Amino acid sequence: MPTPSHPFKFVLPQELIDQIVDKADFQSLKTLGLVSKQWCPRTRELLFEDIKLSEKLVHPLDPTTRCTRLLELLEAKGDLCKLPRALLIQSSTYDDEEKDRGWLQVCSDDVIKILRILHNVSVVGLRQGEMGMNFSHLPSSLRAALHSFISRRNVIELTLLGVDCIEMTPLVQHRSMRRLFLAFSRPPRAELGAFFPLNVARKRRPTTKATSLSSCGDSAPSRKFLRTLDVSGAGYALFLLVAASQNPQATLDFTQIKKLRVGTMGFGNTMTQLWPYFLQTFCQNVSHYTVALGPARPQPEDIPDGTPAFNPSIFSFGQLPSLKRLHVEVPQYYLRIPRLSLIPYLLEALRALSSSRKPVPLKILDIGIDFESLDVNSEPEDVTQTLTDLSKCQEIWGRLDEILSNRQVFSQLTTVGVHMGLNRRCTFTQSAEELDQLKNTLYSYMPNLIKQSKAKVVFRVPVQ
């Protein structure tokens, strides 16, 4: 029997290949990319979708070597430069002759070259490493390159976490920023000095064609509005952005924010002064509001009395006329100190809305109890008694039921969720049956919400 000159070749539909590749983990992607040329394009897209230049990655190579290898790869394979959509740079910096410099300080020239050849990055993150990142410790050429990269029109999301002395005013001229995350980052003193006294109540002057940056050039794109803002421990940074945004040449617009998240951690005097005005002036369109701890936990020795301070001005719900979804995370260590517990302040803020007798668009209220310890390195804490006491606190749940049962004000309310975040960072002795009993006890304190089928209690228990 004659043998065919070409062996039989079975080709899968590209759509099926893409579905298989999309479900693979990182290590599997490396293998799937070697199957054939048909499998290579999609695996490359996913492998190079995110670039992480970080000192915290578990990797056999040190960050400096990884950075050099990445540059060599991108220069050798020019088509790869179009694939990355997100760039994370995470490093510590040092200004001490007795310490080695951080990898970002050492590899500044390579990072500048990488920034120049990446074309389609839309998400940028700068984060501190094991120690802080001081932007002023970086070479001036790298600082300029980073600012230039962030200001590109295709960048729509920026995260600054633990970055000290980074200039904020360039951000107010960004034309396309949609999502901004500021956490424990602070502008340099010289930049703050240029705007003091910060008169945030000053009205923004109308923009004219003579002064508007958007009118410079026929090809200038239309301005896009900031849609998501997440701020924790960055009062000075937000204060400066608010002040600078009142300049008629500013293009970063806060007035169309839809999703707003604020961290209770680091909510100091500056945020206390700014927040009510910020909500009233810029947050009339906010539909999702989250009050959470923040993206980072402080060291216990950094907290004088052992518990972070809490400021009730966070709960200025009356300044959010478009609020439809409210999520509040309550760390369990706040529950032990009545003056710091978020729940009474939350109830009082909701009562103020109810007393106004004005209908509000709130549809979903979600309360999450976080049982993690402040110190992530500590032994898991036994929260058995705290869990029982909280579930049986009729004063809290009964009052919540009474307030939210005001149909004149909360006519749009569809769901009230209470989530107990039990996890591996805490221990408890209740059995599944006992947790159900606690849930039923809590339900018994909210008869009106139960009758309307709106209350839902969930105990999130880790898989043992």
Side-chain angles (χ1 to χ4, degrees), residues 142-163:
L142 177 57
R143 298 202 304 268
L146 286 169
H147 274 303
S148 177
F149 189 82
I150 291 171
S151 65
R152 291 183 181 180
R153 293 173 179 172
N154 53 298
V155 173
I156 63 172
E157 178 178 317
L158 173 64
T159 298
L160 299 177
L161 174 56
V163 184

Side-chain angles (χ1 to χ4, degrees), residues 77-143:
K77 303 286 185 179
D79 56 322
L80 297 180
C81 298
K82 299 179 181 180
L83 299 180
R85 295 294 186 268
L87 173 65
L88 169 65
I89 297 178
Q90 188 170 29
S91 176
S92 303
T93 59
Y94 302 96
D95 191 28
D96 188 342
E97 295 181 356
E98 297 182 357
K99 293 183 178 180
D100 293 333
R101 295 185 301 167
W103 75 264
L104 187 57
Q105 295 168 285
V106 175
C107 295
S108 60
D109 291 340
D110 286 348
V111 173
I112 291 174
K113 293 177 182 178
I114 291 174
L115 295 177
R116 288 173 180 169
I117 60 179
L118 294 180
H119 305 299
N120 297 320
V121 171
S122 59
V123 178
V124 179
L126 292 179
R127 300 191 178 198
Q128 69 178 46
E130 293 295 339
M131 304 299 291
M133 177 192 288
N134 190 312
F135 201 70
S136 66
H137 292 168
L138 300 177
S140 58
S141 56
L142 177 57
R143 298 202 304 268

Side-chain angles (χ1 to χ4, degrees), residues 17-88:
I17 292 176
D18 290 347
Q19 289 184 19
I20 296 173
V21 172
D22 288 346
K23 295 181 180 180
D25 58 28
F26 186 79
Q27 294 300 325
S28 300
L29 286 174
K30 296 180 181 180
T31 303
L32 292 175
L34 301 175
V35 173
S36 70
K37 291 183 178 180
Q38 193 181 8
W39 291 68
C40 189
R42 185 57 180 164
T43 56
R44 275 192 171 186
E45 288 180 16
L46 296 178
L47 283 171
F48 289 90
E49 184 177 27
D50 300 334
I51 291 182
K52 296 180 181 179
L53 299 174
S54 172
E55 65 186 38
K56 288 189 173 183
L57 290 180
V58 179
H59 197 281
L61 299 178
D62 61 89
T64 302
T65 304
R66 293 202 306 271
C67 183
T68 302
R69 296 281 181 86
L70 174 63
L71 176 60
E72 294 173 351
L73 179 61
L74 293 176
E75 289 180 334
K77 303 286 185 179
D79 56 322
L80 297 180
C81 298
K82 299 179 181 180
L83 299 180
R85 295 294 186 268
L87 173 65
L88 169 65

Side-chain angles (χ1 to χ4, degrees), residues 257-399:
I257 296 174
K258 295 294 185 181
K259 294 183 179 180
L260 179 62
R261 185 179 187 272
V262 60
T264 57
M265 193 70 66
F267 198 95
N269 294 332
T270 305
M271 285 292 289
T272 302
Q273 179 183 357
L274 174 65
W275 200 242
Y277 166 80
F278 182 79
L279 294 180
Q280 181 181 12
T281 307
F282 299 103
C283 300
Q284 300 302 292
N285 295 297
V286 168
S287 60
H288 292 60
Y289 185 43
T290 297
V291 177
L293 177 64
R297 297 173 184 270
Q299 295 298 321
E301 59 269 17
D302 296 334
I303 306 172
D305 60 355
T307 304
F310 171 72
N311 194 301
S313 63
I314 287 179
F315 292 140
S316 301
F317 302 144
Q319 309 292 345
L320 302 172
S322 303
L323 182 61
K324 295 181 179 180
R325 180 160 188 164
L326 173 62
H327 176 73
V328 179
E329 294 180 9
V330 184
Q332 59 95 6
Y333 46 78
Y334 277 135
L335 301 176
R336 306 167 186 164
I337 307 175
R339 64 181 176 83
L340 294 178
S341 178
L342 276 67
I343 294 180
Y345 292 112
L346 171 62
L347 294 176
E348 181 59 28
L350 293 172
R351 185 204 62 78
L353 285 180
S354 180
S355 300
S356 69
R357 299 184 179 181
K358 296 179 181 179
V360 297
L362 185 65
K363 292 184 177 181
I364 299 174
L365 169 61
D366 186 49
I367 302 174
I369 312 297
D370 176 14
F371 285 95
E372 283 199 42
S373 172
L374 263 178
D375 185 3
V376 296
N377 297 318
S378 65
E379 292 295 323
E381 184 175 355
D382 190 323
V383 299
T384 301
Q385 192 59 47
T386 302
L387 187 59
T388 299
D389 293 343
L390 181 62
S391 301
K392 294 184 177 181
C393 188
Q394 184 175 3
E395 180 181 358
I396 292 177
W397 310 118
R399 190 179 178 199

